[in-house]
Structures are given as C-alpha cells and as structure tokens.
Amino acid sequence: MTDQQDETSVQTAVAVVGANGHTGRFVVAELMRRGLRPIAIGRSAARLAEAVFPATSIEIREAAVEDDAALDRALAGAAAVINCAGPFMDTADAVVRAALRAGIHYLDVTAEQQSVQATFEHHAAAAQAAGVVIMPAVGFYGGLADLLVATVLDEWDHTDTIEIRVALDSWLPTKGTRVTGEKNTAKRLVVIDGQLEPVRQPAPEIVSVLPAPFGHQTLLEIPFSEVPLIARRVQTRELHSFLSTTALKDVRDPSTPPPQAVDESGRSAQRFAVEVLVTQGDVHRRIIAQGQDIYAITAPIICEAVQRILSGDIRGVGARSPAEIFNAASFLEALGSILSVETGDM
C-alpha cells in the first residue's frame, strides 16, 4: 500500500454483500487488515452476528438482493460495495443498480462469463455518467488472468494468440461454487478468429509441463470470466483458457468435501498455478503466477483493487476490467507476499 492508500483507508467504509459466505469472510478480514471498515451485509443479521462474526465490532446490516429499499439502506455511508453473493447472474444486476443509486463503486468476484457480459452491457453508460467504477470478476477467476495478460503483453497493443492454463492440485468447492455450477448452463466462450465463439466440441485437451508441485498436467478448455475481461481490451486472433483435469474431477464429484482450513487465516492447503502464453509473430512470451487457495487469494486481489480505486490510483471510471484502469505490473507486485510471479520469453 502507498502512503496515499493508507490515508484513504482510514475509516473508509466498504460494504460486503454475501459477507457470510466463504469468500466473503476472507474479504471482510482483508479489508480490516488494510484499515478499511467493512460493513457485513447478508440476508440474516442474526446469523452474521452469531455464527459468522461473533464477538467482533464489525458493522452488520441485513438485506436481500431482491429488496431494493433494504439494499439502499445497507449501502448507506459506504464508499464502495464488494459483491461476494453468487450466483452472480442472480445478484449482480440488483447490487450494481443499488451501487449506482448510491453513487458508489461496485466490484464483484464472479467467475460467470454471462454475468460479466451483462454487467458491461447494461451498466457501462450509467457508471460513466455517475463517475464511478463498475468492475466485475476481480478475483482468482477473471481479474488475475486479466492482470497477468496485461503484464506479459507490456508494450504490445495486439497479439496473435493468448493461452491461459490454470492448474489446481485439488478443488474442494464451496457451497456457492456448487450452486453456481448447477445453475450456470450458458455456453462458454473463447476467441476464435478474432470473435467470441463457443468452445469447440468436444472441448480441446492439452498437456503442459508446469513448475513443482504440478509437473505434467492434462488440461481441458474450460474458460471462465477472464475471457470477456481480456477480449474487451486486447486485440487478439485467438484466446483460449484451460483448467487441469485434476481440478475438474474434484469439482464435478458430488462427494468432494468443502475447503478445510490449515492455518489461522482460514486458507486451505490447495496450491494453484496460472500460466499465460502469448505470441506475436515469432515472439513467444510467458508469465506464471503461483500461490495458495483460490478463494483466499481472491480477497487481497479485490481489496487491492478497491483500495486503489478509493485512493484515485486509476485510469478512468465506468465499467472496466482491472487491467484497463490499473497498472498491472504494479498491482501484481503489491501482491508479492502471497503471489509468486515470473515472466520471460520462450
């Protein structure tokens, strides 16, 4: 954090919708660590107070996303709202509209492509007119790959191909992940010949060699919210995104348990690697990020984003992706204590 960010954070309130969820709890804790004042919002104030945040001074407010008046009351006094309540096709529109009525910034952690596209399509003009930032998918899925791509592209304003390879040594899904997976039946999109198109069927499969502990990995084309984020700002002929079959096997198995904490912060033991490969003619570039727990890492990513927005360390307002308004390399550097990033030509 910069000195300017430290000054901005003092007593600044940030609302967290879905604060009672697995990711929401990480976000609340990270806001407090950064000196911001979280407002925990959920359907049941009693549950938040008794089961989620007992014996704390966190401000708790009750609101259902379908209740506009309750949302308006819950967001009063906040400078921004972070939406952690999925599935986001069910919640994002209502919370964005509430943020716009309040004149505050909106960020969420969706992995749903359809939700990202709807947010950009429906709210870009209003966000620009209001002078606020509307930013979907600021988490492990979506925002991280967007920032990695921007960093490795550097001075390039276009590229021939972008390939994103996500490896997880396991995926113990939360209840929210399971519910979203069951409801998200939209066709997944990639960029083929310069256009957003559905993933070809059967979905392409590749083999990649990644750093330890992963080694040889088989990956299947399963794109998430990173594709619409990157496609809106990068001119590329091809954009494809793959997920390790180990992770897919876990998340598709109904008997796979939820995440289990292994440290005081609540992180699980899960390890991840995100490799991005880009080409322009005969030049090939690579960047890879590694860390622990895809749900836990989402909290510092989105809290770094909200803190930079509140401090004014951004390039413009409106409906934006992280790489559109942040210096991507600086942003990743700020996460250096929890995210290992390496770059280089191939």
Side-chain angles (χ1 to χ4, degrees):
M1 291 184 292
T2 65
D3 291 340
Q4 182 183 15
Q5 288 173 319
D6 285 335
E7 293 172 3
T8 302
S9 68
V10 175
Q11 297 302 309
T12 301
V14 177
V16 181
V17 176
N20 55 308
H22 188 78
T23 301
R25 298 184 202 190
F26 282 122
V27 169
V28 168
E30 180 67 16
L31 289 171
M32 294 180 67
R33 188 188 72 79
R34 290 168 176 259
L36 292 157
R37 179 166 60 87
I39 299 172
I41 300 173
R43 289 182 176 273
S44 169
R47 181 167 178 263
L48 283 167
E50 295 173 9
V52 183
F53 303 114
T56 71
S57 59
I58 295 171
E59 184 174 0
I60 291 171
R61 298 179 184 176
E62 184 172 292
V65 294
E66 60 270 20
D67 186 336
D68 285 355
L71 268 182
D72 290 347
R73 290 192 295 271
L75 297 185
V81 56
I82 296 174
N83 183 10
C84 298
F88 292 88
M89 280 305 299
D90 295 343
T91 69
D93 186 72
V95 183
V96 172
R97 287 188 287 103
L100 289 169
R101 290 194 298 272
I104 64 176
H105 308 291
Y106 169 93
L107 301 89
D108 71 36
V109 297
T110 184
E112 304 160 49
Q113 293 186 338
Q114 190 178 6
S115 177
V116 172
Q117 291 176 300
T119 296
F120 284 135
E121 179 180 352
H122 297 155
H123 301 294
Q128 188 71 41
V132 299
V133 173
I134 302 296
M135 185 176 290
V138 196
F140 175 80
Y141 289 114
L144 178 57
D146 185 46
L147 293 162
L148 290 169
V149 168
T151 300
V152 77
L153 287 180
D154 194 14
E155 80 283 1
W156 289 358
D157 59 6
H158 70 280
T159 183
D160 296 327
T161 67
I162 300 173
E163 196 165 280
I164 299 160
R165 302 175 178 183
V166 178
L168 312 179
D169 64 359
S170 65
W171 191 352
L172 308 183
T174 64
K175 179 181 178 181
T177 295
R178 290 210 179 276
V179 171
T180 299
E182 291 168 1
K183 298 187 72 171
N184 184 13
T185 59
K187 291 183 177 179
R188 295 179 184 268
L189 303 177
V190 292
V191 175
I192 301 172
D193 294 329
Q195 302 295 323
L196 280 171
E197 300 285 352
V199 172
R200 289 170 176 154
Q201 297 300 322
E205 187 175 277
I206 63 171
V207 175
S208 181
V209 180
L210 296 171
F214 297 99
H216 283 80
Q217 291 284 309
T218 302
L219 304 101
L220 193 69
E221 185 151 35
I222 304 286
F224 291 93
S225 50
E226 68 280 350
V227 170
L229 291 186
I230 296 164
R232 66 181 269 108
R233 61 172 188 82
V234 178
Q235 181 182 346
T236 184
R237 179 171 49 83
E238 301 284 328
L239 169 55
H240 300 274
S241 188
F242 297 83
L243 179 65
S244 60
T245 55
T246 299
L248 284 171
K249 181 180 178 181
D250 281 347
V251 80
R252 289 172 172 173
D253 183 349
S255 68
T256 302
Q260 302 297 316
V262 296
D263 62 26
E264 292 182 355
S265 73
R267 292 189 304 175
S268 73
Q270 179 198 58
R271 303 296 303 181
F272 66 78
V274 181
E275 180 183 45
V276 175
L277 307 173
V278 301
T279 68
Q280 188 183 92
D282 295 331
V283 181
H284 301 253
R285 291 179 178 175
R286 174 179 182 264
I287 188 169
I288 186 166
Q290 296 186 79
Q292 179 181 344
D293 192 331
I294 63 174
Y295 298 108
I297 196 73
T298 288
I301 292 172
I302 200 165
C303 291
E304 179 70 20
V306 79
Q307 196 152 38
R308 287 179 180 235
I309 291 168
L310 294 175
S311 72
D313 187 14
I314 55 175
R315 300 187 294 255
V317 295
R320 306 285 186 140
S321 80
E324 284 184 284
I325 67 169
F326 301 130
N327 180 301
S330 168
F331 193 108
L332 293 174
E333 184 179 356
L335 303 176
S337 64
I338 53 173
L339 188 70
S340 169
V341 179
E342 296 182 6
T343 61
D345 293 339
M346 297 180 63

